[in-house]
Structures are given as C-alpha cells and as structure tokens.
Amino acid sequence: MVTVVAVVVLLSLCFVPILGEQKLRFGRNGEFKILQVADMHFANGKTTPCENVLPSQVATCSDLNTTAFLSRIISAEKPNLIVFTGDNIYGSDATDAAKSLNAAFAPAIASNIPWVVVLGNHDQESTLSREGIMKHIVTLNNTLSQVNPSNQTRIIDGFGNYNLEIGGVKGSGFENKSVLNLYLLDSGDYSTVPSIPGYGWIKPSQQMWFQSTSAKLQEEYMSKAAATAEDGPAPGLAYFHIPLPEYAILESTNLTGVKLEPAGISSASVNSGFFTTMKAAGDVKAVFTGHDHLNDFCGKVMDIQLCYSGGFGYHAYGKAGWDRRARVVVATLERTQNQGGWGNVDSIKTWKRLDDGNLTAIDAQLLWTKKRIPTA
Amino acid sequence: MVTVVAVVVLLSLCFVPILGEQKLRFGRNGEFKILQVADMHFANGKTTPCENVLPSQVATCSDLNTTAFLSRIISAEKPNLIVFTGDNIYGSDATDAAKSLNAAFAPAIASNIPWVVVLGNHDQESTLSREGIMKHIVTLNNTLSQVNPSNQTRIIDGFGNYNLEIGGVKGSGFENKSVLNLYLLDSGDYSTVPSIPGYGWIKPSQQMWFQSTSAKLQEEYMSKAAATAEDGPAPGLAYFHIPLPEYAILESTNLTGVKLEPAGISSASVNSGFFTTMKAAGDVKAVFTGHDHLNDFCGKVMDIQLCYSGGFGYHAYGKAGWDRRARVVVATLERTQNQGGWGNVDSIKTWKRLDDGNLTAIDAQLLWTKKRIPTA
C-alpha cells in the first residue's frame, strides 16, 4: 500500500492531468532532464544490418543494438522526457512503417517516461506519409506528441509542430507557471520548390505559430506572481531535425564537441529566417537538431546555443570506432528560502552519453544560466 | 474636343477605375515602365544643403536639386508608375514631416502619373511616426500607396505593405488579368530587439501576407483563359528599402553596376528569410531596394535579380562627382497574332539615368525573359 502511494506520488511529480492533458512538471529535486535521441534510422529489427561499425561488430550488429542502447541510456539517466529528433525510422529500408515505429520507440513506451517525436527527412519513405506517421505516433502509449497545435485555426506547414510546457515545483511560487518551454517543429524533408535544391526548412506559417506561442507564454509567465521582470521570460528550448544555416557560422574552435561531417553542416540551401524569429522572440536559449550524424557539438551564435546530438542509430551512417551517442539536457531550478524551496530555472546544462561499456559521459557544459542583477 | 478625347483615351490606358479603385494597366505600346527613386533624403527645401557634391556645386545646391532631378527624369522617361523606395525624407533634418513629404513628392503629384511609396529607416525621424507618414501619404493626389493591405484580417508588421496589379492590354486576352505584380513592403527601420544590432527586417507576418497574396494572384492568373502553364505565373517585382542579406552573396565580378559602399551591403544583421519566401513563391523575378546610396548594381542569386537603384537625393551621403541616379524598369508584352495583338509579359529590362546634363542612360540590361518551350 505504501509502495502504491509512493508510486502515485512519484508519477504525480511528472504528470499532472490538467484539462484532460498531462502536464510536465519539475520534480522535487528541482531538476528536469531531457534525453535527446537523434537519427535512430530504425528499419526491420534484427534482420537490419549496421552501418559503419568495426569489423568485429558487423556479424552481430542490427537495429537491436539501437534498441539496447536506448534501453540502457533510459535506465541510466532516468530522464523526465525523451525527445526523438527525426529520422526515427529509415523509411526506405522499413518494410512496414507502423511496425518500425512501434519497435523503434518500444523502450521509451516501456519506460513509462513521457516521450515526443519530431520528423526527419527519412521517416516518410516507408508505408506512411509524414501525416500518417504523426497520426500513428500519437496513438502510442506515454507519448505527448501532437500531430499539430490544437489551438491553431490556420493551416500550418508540416506535421509535428507543437509545444510543451514544464511547470514549476508543486507548492512553489511557480506551481502554476510553465518555467521551461519546449518548441518542437517539423523542419521538413526535402525542398518541394524545383529551383531550390536540398533539404526542407521551417516555413513562415510555422514561424508565426512559434511567434504567437512564445508571446502568449511570455505574457502568461510575466503576468502572474513570482516572476520578476529582471529574470526575463522562462527559457525555451527548440527541437527539430535539420540544422539551421546559422550552424555554419560556428568555427570548429568555438565548439564543445566535434564537427566531423565532411560536408560541414547539411542545412537547407536557403535561410528561412527561423533563427531570426527565435532571436526576436527572445526566450529560446538553445536549439537541438540531429541530421548530421558526425557532428555532436554545441556552439553559441548571438547567445543562442546551437547543438547537435550526434547519431544514435546503428542502421545509420556513422564512423566505425566513433561511438553512437545521445544528448542529455538538465534544467535546474533556483533554490529559494521560501515559496516551497524552488524558484524558476537557474541553469541549463548538457552532456552526451556514448554507447560504450560504461555509457561514458562526455562534453559536459553549461548551456545557459540566469543572469542576475548584482545586489549592492 | 479632339484633344480632350485624346487625353481621356490616353489616361484610360493607365487608369481603369474598377470597383472604385484605379487599376494599373499596360499601355497600347505593350509596355509598362516603372521609375524607382531611392533615398531622396528630402528635408526643408532650398535651405537644406547638399552632401558630397563637388566644391563647385556646394554654393547653389539644395533639396531643390533633388526636386529638379525628379521633374526632369519624369519628363524624360514618362513612366507609368513611380516607386519611391524609402528615406524619402531625411527625418532628423526635416522640421515638419508633412511639409517635407509634400515637397518631396511634388513633382510626382504634378505629373499626374500614379506613384507609390515604401518607408526607409529615416522617414520617421521628424514629426510623424511611420504610421503617420503612410497615413499622410495616402491622402496625396495620384498616389496608389496604401497604409497596409485592405484585405488583411490579422495584424501585419510595419506600415506600407501592399501589392499592385498591372492588367494586360485592354482588348487582349489578358485584359482581365494582372500580368505583372508589384509587392511593396516595409523593411523596417532599426532592430527593436536589444540583442540584435542594426537595421530592421521583413517579419513573418509580412511574409505570410506576401505568400498568401502571391498564391492568390497565381491561382487567379492560371485559372483564367489565355494563361498557359508553360509560361508560369505572372512575373512579380518586389520593392522595399533595406537590402536582403542575400545581396552580400554577389561578387563584384557578377554585377551590372557598381558596389562602391565601403561597408559592402548594409542589410539587417540577421536573415529573416524573405528571400527564401519569395523564391518558394516562385513569381518574383527581381527585387529593388535603396538604402546603400553608393551601390547601384543588379546581380542574380538563384535566378532572382537583386538590384539597387543608387542614391537619388542631394541631401544624402554620396560621392562627389558620382552622379545621383535613378532606376527605370520596363516590362514588355509579347506580340501576338490575335487576341488584341498583345500577350503576357515577355521581358523585363532595366537601366539607370544619371543626373548629368543629358540624363545619361547607363547599365541597360535584360533582367528577365519568359522561357519558351521550343516548338518543333
């Protein structure tokens, strides 16, 4: 009986049903941890071979290595949320998209941890369209994914554009506020404009949705008690698949992590302005993409951290001997003397975990910290 | 009596009142000519000195030289439309914004030729706000300027965002179609985001308006008789003040005209994606800006011509001995054997006129020509 109560209490820290929706919330340890899984490239499971692994690994390696890595890292990190940032399945090798999706996300579903998905450029290459994939995903257990924003009256480009609000600690002054905002967007697959080569991009309709969502969240946050103007808006994090052209501004010398892709940054061939829209909105502190499996760095452009996760999946191109990896992000609240002991977000840190024997953590760094006005 | 009839007929070629609005239309010569006037920097008239002119010019030079140039070039070119692309007045030196605007546009008003305005970064520095300036301008004679789109139900950023439709020749198969579309936009003045330095940019709300307007125009154009799919949509031209970051892609070797600005291209410090939005829409063939007085080139990026006009006004920085100038654009219809003798737009040409004794025309070039599928 005690155990049951404890489990219920424990679950309620992360899951608070409000108006029929599960709401994410910081735990009583003042932390919220997000695991990013980029480019699983899942196909058909144990019959699907691995790419770019060591000769000694080839014989026994398959999609199941991806599954095992996902199970292990979830157990090790116990995140509050898992974000899959696209190319979740490698569509052209997946015989049945729904089955591949089910298998790819199985460790997340089994973990009872909330998980969400955005689409990459390969997800739709099997038996489901991009819309079909998102419509399938939202039926799976424990996902907070959405096909598109429920409050959107106008047509929005793509599928899998939505936001997540992470509430402050229950009993603290931030209990009824979102103190950390996640924006998930569909960065498309390929250009549909014949005269523009290459990958897709985030369209004006999506940017308008982001802009109005960010404005609404900032207004709500600043208008209620316990938020102070000097702290600024609640920090935001953006997750999507294809890196922005601004990633290419970063020099290798300013990076934590590496830029091993021979082509550098495989963004769209045009700049659709989403970096500017985020910068103008003011709340997004870091962007997390996948797509370029051999880049795993973070670097700052105009005070926004632009991060890769590095390739996760074994049926995805990689580099033999360079471990598959994932990115962890932890937001930590400020300790306060009153109001339930916890304030708003104080810092956001990140590190990566390698799929070696020890799940070695590398490249730990501070992504953002709240600027305080020094008191005399 | 014959003269009166001739004048009425002549006027009706350019002005066709439809639903209470004047509609622009190609003349019976199959041409539509646009005069672009960039950066007049008008202040208080004859008491306002000139900048960067030859020592011999200083004593007698004032804003009236700008007025005289405007009168002369209108008489010489007899355009169908005059487009003023911002910094029309130099606000900080203009004692009374309305009076400066009236004086600056006086030659256009007197010409009885339709004229339109977009705002630069200096227009609002006198006694009127940006909104106030556009609201004043729309009360002046012969202007087709609009404060903002009349069909816009949502809020749009800036003032002076609107489009103009140029109808085909009366009696031709394109009589009831817009065969040339002009998009006029407010590129802002300065960044209002503290962490983004520099000039303004075209916002997502404006890009959504452009996108939906372009889509509607293309649908209307292609759905009616006499337009063929192989010709593509009617060409569009975009006019605004501040150049796009994509102008900086152009190397000096690929230009018609010159890049004399020491700072190169003074675009916004961020890319807001309007080039991508135009390219994706597909109809815009050329962009015309001002702002950088010593750049007067056109160059092609991904098949869109990016053009400057070069500085027009004498109370604006320039280069002594380097003549003030303006850009002329002429769209020419295709000659046909039937349907009234004229088809849709066949080519778009441009040249510049210098304010020397002869209004010398320089840098004539073909900007765009309709691609025809060769017939066997």
Side-chain angles (χ1 to χ4, degrees), chain B residues 35-45 48-51 62-71 73-74 82-91 100-109 115-118 120 122-123 137 241 290-291 293 309-317 324-326:
Chain B
L35 171 66
Q36 178 188 3
V37 176
D39 300 86
M40 284 198 293
H41 277 232
F42 207 92
N44 300 317
T48 302
C50 297
E51 291 187 23
S62 75
D63 276 343
L64 300 191
N65 290 57
T66 305
T67 302
F69 180 26
L70 185 53
S71 295
I73 196 168
I74 291 172
I82 307 164
V83 181
F84 295 94
T85 53
D87 287 1
N88 310 290
I89 62 170
Y90 189 67
S100 291
L101 291 164
N102 296 352
F105 301 128
I109 295 168
W115 58 279
V116 291
V117 179
V118 291
H122 287 304
D123 288 288
I137 286 170
H241 183 69
H291 190 56
H293 308 175
S309 186
F312 189 98
Y314 281 86
H315 184 56
Y317 80 82
R324 264 64 177 180
R325 61 200 61 208

Side-chain angles (χ1 to χ4, degrees), chain A residues 154-155 157 193 195-197 201 203-208 211 246 269-277 279-281 302-303, chain B residues 154-155 157 193 195-197 201 203-208 211 246 269-277 279-281 302-303:
Chain A
R154 290 179 304 112
I155 288 168
D157 285 273
V193 181
S195 59
I196 304 179
W201 57 87
K203 306 284 169 34
S205 66
Q206 298 167 279
Q207 297 186 44
M208 285 293 285
Q211 194 180 55
E246 281 79 4
S269 65
V270 289
N271 189 325
S272 77
F274 189 50
F275 180 87
T276 300
T277 300
K279 185 71 196 151
M302 293 180 83
D303 273 335
Chain B
R154 291 179 304 111
I155 288 169
D157 285 273
V193 181
S195 60
I196 304 179
W201 57 86
K203 306 285 168 38
S205 66
Q206 298 167 280
Q207 297 185 45
M208 284 293 286
Q211 194 181 55
E246 282 78 4
S269 64
V270 289
N271 190 326
S272 77
F274 189 51
F275 181 87
T276 301
T277 300
K279 186 70 196 151
M302 294 179 81
D303 273 335

